Amino acid sequence: MRKPFEKVMLSREMRRAKPKDFINYLFKDVLYMKGDRLFGEDGSILGGIGSFEGRPITFISNHKGHDLKENIEANFGMSNPEGYRKAQRMMLQAEKFGRPVITFVDTPGAYPGLGAEERGQGEAIARAIMTMEKIQVPTITFVTGEGGSGGALALSMGNKIYMLENAVYSILSPEGFSSILWKDKSQAERASEVMKLTAEDLRDFGIVDEIIPEDEAFIEGSFNGVFELVKAKLREALTELDSLDKQTIVERRCERFRNIGRRY
């Protein structure tokens, strides 16, 4: 059993499958869309349409790279407000055309720069959360790497939420947590023990539905086995949600988030 901080480091591993790898494997006829129609394009969030086993879907994801050049282009997965507004645009478009929304989460958090704050970072995240909560189509989320702060939550209002075995999901990074709590970012390993950020923790809290196991081959860069498990879970979730009417889809989504923490 890996320790929490070991899972944090694995979630950040450059060789690990990134959201775009999942998109390219799972979906056919992929068409990426750009821009929020308000300010500009943010390459740290990908959005578009494709088909899953012959069915039209909308996908939205964070974007990270497999090397330094790609990560610089994707701002290391940290999105600006225009990224979250692009996500909103894609969500509303999906609702208009009756397409389910599939999201992939892998971000250390939203970008904290001055320009992002000036352009309304908090409002953009909050409105993305509200939009994903209310759209009348199935929403399915896969946390594939880091799930950090509101930057992750903006894409995580799923009817179904799945986590990969070595993914993490929390209010902020262990380094940020230890800097706030103990004024010492070197205590990140200690912080990860108390933050309850592993897939097992999140499943026990009822925040995620299921854990998708990873094998050693996935960690080393051979992804197809895990991709097939994700495909099976996506197929299963869509079949279940297709049996529900629009109102029930929204009601159950809202109920699952309202019930988080009640048993504690």
Side-chain angles (χ1 to χ4, degrees):
M1 178 68 72
R2 291 187 173 91
K3 294 181 178 180
F5 194 64
E6 292 177 317
K7 294 195 172 191
V8 171
M9 299 311 292
L10 281 172
S11 76
R12 298 170 175 172
E13 171 60 54
M14 277 196 184
R15 291 174 298 176
R16 186 179 184 83
K18 306 305 179 189
K20 192 172 184 179
D21 299 318
F22 286 87
I23 292 166
N24 289 338
Y25 187 91
L26 294 170
F27 306 137
K28 305 296 184 185
D29 305 314
V30 170
L31 176 64
Y32 290 95
M33 298 188 177
K34 298 185 177 182
D36 65 346
R37 304 298 188 264
L38 294 169
F39 180 82
E41 165 64 356
D42 183 350
S44 67
I45 284 188
L46 303 177
I49 58 176
S51 64
F52 175 72
E53 299 182 337
R55 172 179 186 165
I57 57 91
T58 289
F59 63 84
I60 306 168
S61 79
N62 301 116
H63 180 41
K64 281 185 177 180
H66 286 290
D67 56 35
L68 182 60
K69 180 177 182 293
E70 288 182 351
N71 273 321
I72 290 173
E73 291 173 351
N75 201 32
F76 294 87
M78 296 184 293
S79 302
N80 283 287
E82 47 271 23
Y84 298 112
R85 291 178 178 131
K86 176 171 67 174
Q88 294 170 47
R89 182 169 77 86
M90 296 304 305
M91 293 170 192
L92 293 172
Q93 183 193 82
E95 181 180 45
K96 179 178 180 179
F97 291 100
R99 296 190 296 261
V101 174
I102 319 301
T103 64
F104 300 91
V105 173
D106 186 5
T107 177
Y111 185 60
L114 178 61
E117 297 299 335
E118 288 176 338
R119 297 195 299 278
Q121 184 72 290
E123 184 273 346
I125 292 171
R127 196 168 292 276
I129 293 170
M130 182 180 71
T131 302
M132 192 171 180
E133 177 191 23
K134 292 185 176 181
I135 54 175
Q136 296 181 333
V137 291
T139 57
I140 302 166
T141 295
F142 294 92
V143 182
T144 63
E146 284 186 281
S149 193
L153 188 59
L155 303 185
S156 300
M157 300 296 289
N159 289 98
K160 293 287 186 179
I161 304 177
Y162 302 93
M163 256 181 107
L164 268 64
E165 180 182 351
N166 292 311
V168 295
Y169 188 58
S170 190
I171 54 171
L172 77 170
S173 68
E175 292 84 357
F177 185 97
S178 60
S179 295
I180 293 169
L181 194 61
W182 299 305
K183 311 302 180 187
D184 182 3
K185 69 178 182 179
S186 69
Q187 296 293 315
E189 184 170 357
R190 177 186 173 194
S192 65
E193 296 286 343
V194 302
M195 290 176 71
K196 305 299 182 184
L197 45 61
T198 69
E200 290 81 5
D201 293 324
L202 277 292
R203 180 188 58 192
D204 292 345
F205 291 145
I207 295 171
V208 303
D209 295 285
E210 293 184 45
I211 299 170
I212 297 174
E214 300 176 21
D215 53 28
E216 292 300 322
F218 181 80
I219 296 166
E220 293 299 321
S222 180
F223 307 140
N224 287 9
V226 174
F227 285 166
E228 284 297 319
L229 294 177
V230 171
K231 179 185 284 188
K233 288 299 175 187
L234 178 53
R235 183 187 304 119
E236 179 184 301
L238 286 171
T239 299
E240 178 182 339
L241 294 169
D242 281 344
S243 66
L244 306 177
D245 59 49
K246 293 179 180 180
Q247 183 176 351
T248 304
I249 285 172
V250 176
E251 287 176 351
R252 290 196 179 179
R253 186 187 306 135
C254 293
E255 183 180 5
R256 77 165 293 157
F257 284 93
R258 289 180 183 135
N259 285 336
I260 290 174
R262 283 188 176 178
R263 60 181 171 145
Y264 300 98

